[in-house]
Amino acid sequence: MYKILIADDHPLFREAIHNVIQDGFPGSEILETADLDSALAMTLENDDLDLVLLDLNMPGMHGLNGLINMRNEAPTIPVVIVSAEQDKQVVLQAITYGACGFITKSSPRAQMTDAIEQILNGNVYLPSDIIRSQKATTRRAQHNEQSIPPELLQALTRKQLLVLERMTKGESNKQIAYNLDIAETTVKAHVSAILRKLNVHNRVQAILSAGDIDFTAYLRR
């Protein structure tokens, strides 16, 4: 008996995943929505949710930004990305940013049931065929070209560097606040300052551009 939210803007896919859950996990309570704003509202109204199935490309998501927003607003509710995307780097980034699994929409029904079961049992689920692929090479090269110039990193305070380091590990503002023993409002202020100083528009851009940084070298100064 589980309580699961399906957040996807395609009615046919919502119906398909609804049937997968109904057949695989009889008696479960299933909620549905079609955009990020209502999904966030539902997670706040239903803090007893066991799982959120989050479409990567529905309205309001803006790619992985939507996942980060969801993790910040509801850090205790497991979130799995459901997408037609099959790029290995996107899958790995989703896990880095706090998703507990990644299910491709082309997965056979039995595989979807198995994936959801693994996640509900507390495991992380990754599509093995994508993880074994080598498609991330080009994306990785592009990522390296986007790295932050050293002078911009030098402009960050030590506390901002510590916050950025934890951002790259996929931690939410609440988690960063707890781990650094500071208020969540302070974390938000640091994040805003980091985005401004690094000249990036959002959290995902900051995380991607800082992915290869050796923070130890900068924190030793």
Side-chain angles (χ1 to χ4, degrees):
M1 297 281 286
Y2 296 104
K3 189 172 184 179
I4 299 173
L5 170 62
I6 304 169
D8 194 292
D9 63 330
H10 291 93
L12 285 176
F13 183 77
R14 282 205 310 275
E15 182 182 349
I17 200 75
H18 187 287
N19 291 337
V20 167
I21 296 167
Q22 206 168 41
D23 294 345
F25 310 92
S28 293
E29 182 181 351
I30 304 169
L31 307 177
E32 296 184 22
T33 186
D35 60 75
L36 181 64
D37 286 345
S38 55
L40 290 171
M42 282 188 175
T43 58
L44 294 176
E45 293 166 7
N46 299 272
D47 58 2
D48 57 340
L49 279 168
D50 294 295
L51 184 64
V52 175
L53 296 161
L54 193 65
D55 177 26
L56 191 60
N57 296 309
M58 70 178 177
M61 283 293 289
H62 306 296
L64 291 167
N65 270 320
L67 170 62
I68 290 171
N69 288 339
M70 177 68 74
R71 298 299 298 134
N72 277 332
E73 293 297 326
T76 62
I77 300 173
V79 178
V80 59
I81 291 295
V82 183
S83 176
E85 178 66 64
Q86 299 205 21
D87 187 290
K88 179 179 175 181
Q89 194 65 28
V90 174
V91 174
L92 295 176
Q93 284 169 5
I95 302 303
T96 300
Y97 303 155
C100 58
F102 195 105
I103 299 174
T104 57
K105 290 188 174 183
S106 58
S107 301
R109 187 185 181 94
Q111 190 176 328
M112 281 192 180
T113 304
D114 179 60
I116 294 170
E117 184 173 15
Q118 286 192 42
I119 293 161
L120 288 170
N121 286 335
N123 300 311
V124 171
Y125 176 83
L126 293 172
S128 57
D129 53 334
I130 295 177
I131 297 305
R132 284 196 301 265
S133 76
Q134 300 301 316
K135 290 182 180 177
T137 309
T138 305
R139 186 70 62 92
R140 188 67 182 170
Q142 292 171 351
H143 163 64
N144 288 339
E145 291 171 6
Q146 297 169 358
S147 56
I148 300 169
E151 60 269 20
L152 294 184
L153 282 170
Q154 296 285 358
L156 299 180
T157 66
R158 179 180 175 81
K159 189 67 80 173
Q160 287 164 358
L161 281 168
L162 289 169
V163 169
L164 179 60
E165 182 180 24
R166 296 206 167 266
M167 285 167 60
T168 64
K169 294 177 180 177
E171 292 186 8
S172 68
N173 287 349
K174 285 186 174 67
Q175 290 171 316
I176 295 172
Y178 176 80
N179 287 322
L180 296 183
D181 195 24
I182 55 179
E184 189 177 348
T185 51
T186 305
V187 174
K188 289 179 180 177
H190 282 318
V191 171
S192 296
I194 290 166
L195 299 186
R196 186 178 68 253
K197 288 183 178 181
L198 297 185
N199 197 27
V200 293
H201 299 295
N202 55 54
R203 196 183 184 102
V204 169
Q205 286 182 337
I207 292 169
L208 287 176
S209 57
D212 295 327
I213 292 170
D214 178 8
F215 283 94
T216 308
Y218 286 93
L219 289 167
R220 270 203 302 263
R221 70 186 189 209

